[in-house]
């Protein structure tokens, strides 16, 4: 049995070309906004990028970077202390000779003898050097007054001899 050739169809209205174009544009707009915006790698979030221009905060839990020996050592490592002054230790006589031949000290003492005033820094330096010379001379048993004392003693002995002999 054959079906009739023309069956009653429901009336469906066909869309016009203009309506189809508007639907297509709307669909295109929806699809256009899918996904990430253009340039998301360059202008993305700060946590995703390395932050070349910004410094990252240091983790306070990270400790010292000094290496630790892992094996057993025979002797504990001890650091040698450097001497405070790099100058070799001189004997008192050598140091005294060096100070007596110091050109700067001689020049400053000459200026003092001429009556010139020294700056505070120069004066403290001269005083320190003269004090050191005094210390060294006392260590070595020398003194400035040796010659003067000898002369004074000789004069006293001569005076005593005059008195004893009944001189004037």
């Amino acid at each position: 049995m054959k079906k009739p050739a023309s069956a009653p169809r429901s009336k469906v209205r066909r869309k016009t070309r203009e309506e189809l174009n508007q639907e297509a544009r709307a669909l295109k707009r929806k699809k256009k906004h899918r996904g990430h915006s253009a340039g998301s790698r360059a202008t993305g979030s700060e946590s995703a990028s390395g932050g070349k221009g910004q410094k990252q905060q240091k983790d306070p839990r990270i400790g010292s970077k000094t290496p630790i020996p892992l094996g057993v050592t025979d002797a504990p490592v001890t650091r040698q202390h450097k001497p405070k002054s790099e100058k070799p230790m001189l004997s008192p006589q050598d140091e005294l000779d060096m100070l007596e031949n110091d050109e700067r000290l001689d020049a400053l003492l000459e200026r003092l003898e001429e009556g010139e005033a020294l700056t505070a820094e120069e004066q403290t330096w001269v005083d320190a050097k003269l004090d050191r010379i005094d210390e060294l001379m006392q260590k070595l048993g020398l003194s400035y007054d040796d010659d003067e004392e000898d002369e004074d003693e000789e004069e006293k002995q001569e005076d005593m001899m005059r008195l004893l002999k009944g001189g004037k």
Side-chain angles (χ1 to χ4, degrees), residues 62-77:
I62 295 176
S64 173
K65 301 288 185 184
T66 56
I68 299 171
L70 297 178
V72 177
T73 57
D74 294 339
V77 177

Side-chain angles (χ1 to χ4, degrees), residues 19 24 44 59 65 73 95 108 123 133 149 166:
E19 290 173 342
D59 190 354
K65 301 288 185 184
T73 57
E95 189 175 353
L108 291 175
Q123 186 64 45
I133 288 173
E149 288 177 5

Side-chain angles (χ1 to χ4, degrees), residues 34-72:
R34 284 187 187 171
H36 297 291
S37 59
S40 63
R41 281 187 288 170
T43 61
S45 66
E46 292 175 9
S47 62
S49 66
K52 294 177 186 173
Q54 299 174 349
K55 290 185 178 179
Q56 293 179 349
Q57 290 183 345
K58 260 187 156 179
D59 190 354
R61 295 173 294 174
I62 295 176
S64 173
K65 301 288 185 184
T66 56
I68 299 171
L70 297 178
V72 177

Side-chain angles (χ1 to χ4, degrees), residues 58-98:
K58 260 187 156 179
D59 190 354
R61 295 173 294 174
I62 295 176
S64 173
K65 301 288 185 184
T66 56
I68 299 171
L70 297 178
V72 177
T73 57
D74 294 339
V77 177
T78 57
R79 294 182 180 177
Q80 295 180 354
H81 297 286
K82 293 182 180 178
K84 290 184 181 179
S85 63
E86 295 180 6
K87 298 177 183 176
M89 294 297 291
L90 299 173
S91 68
Q93 183 64 43
D94 293 339
E95 189 175 353
L96 183 62
D97 291 340
M98 186 182 69

Side-chain angles (χ1 to χ4, degrees), residues 52-163:
K52 294 177 186 173
Q54 299 174 349
K55 290 185 178 179
Q56 293 179 349
Q57 290 183 345
K58 260 187 156 179
D59 190 354
R61 295 173 294 174
I62 295 176
S64 173
K65 301 288 185 184
T66 56
I68 299 171
L70 297 178
V72 177
T73 57
D74 294 339
V77 177
T78 57
R79 294 182 180 177
Q80 295 180 354
H81 297 286
K82 293 182 180 178
K84 290 184 181 179
S85 63
E86 295 180 6
K87 298 177 183 176
M89 294 297 291
L90 299 173
S91 68
Q93 183 64 43
D94 293 339
E95 189 175 353
L96 183 62
D97 291 340
M98 186 182 69
L99 287 172
E100 287 177 349
N101 296 329
D102 191 0
E103 293 176 7
R104 180 179 177 200
L105 182 61
D106 291 339
L108 291 175
L109 289 174
E110 285 178 17
R111 284 177 52 192
L112 276 175
E113 288 175 6
E114 293 172 2
E116 284 187 48
L118 300 178
T119 63
E121 182 180 324
E122 290 174 337
Q123 186 64 45
T124 55
W125 186 83
V126 168
D127 291 341
K129 294 299 177 181
L130 291 177
D131 290 343
R132 183 62 183 157
I133 288 173
D134 288 339
E135 289 175 19
L136 292 172
M137 290 185 81
Q138 286 178 357
K139 281 184 183 178
L140 294 172
L142 304 174
S143 69
Y144 292 116
D145 303 330
D146 283 346
D147 298 333
E148 294 174 8
E149 288 177 5
D150 291 340
E151 292 174 6
D152 289 340
E153 287 178 20
E154 289 175 9
E155 288 178 13
K156 287 181 184 177
Q157 285 181 353
E158 289 176 11
D159 289 340
M160 294 288 282
M161 294 297 278
R162 286 185 196 154
L163 289 172

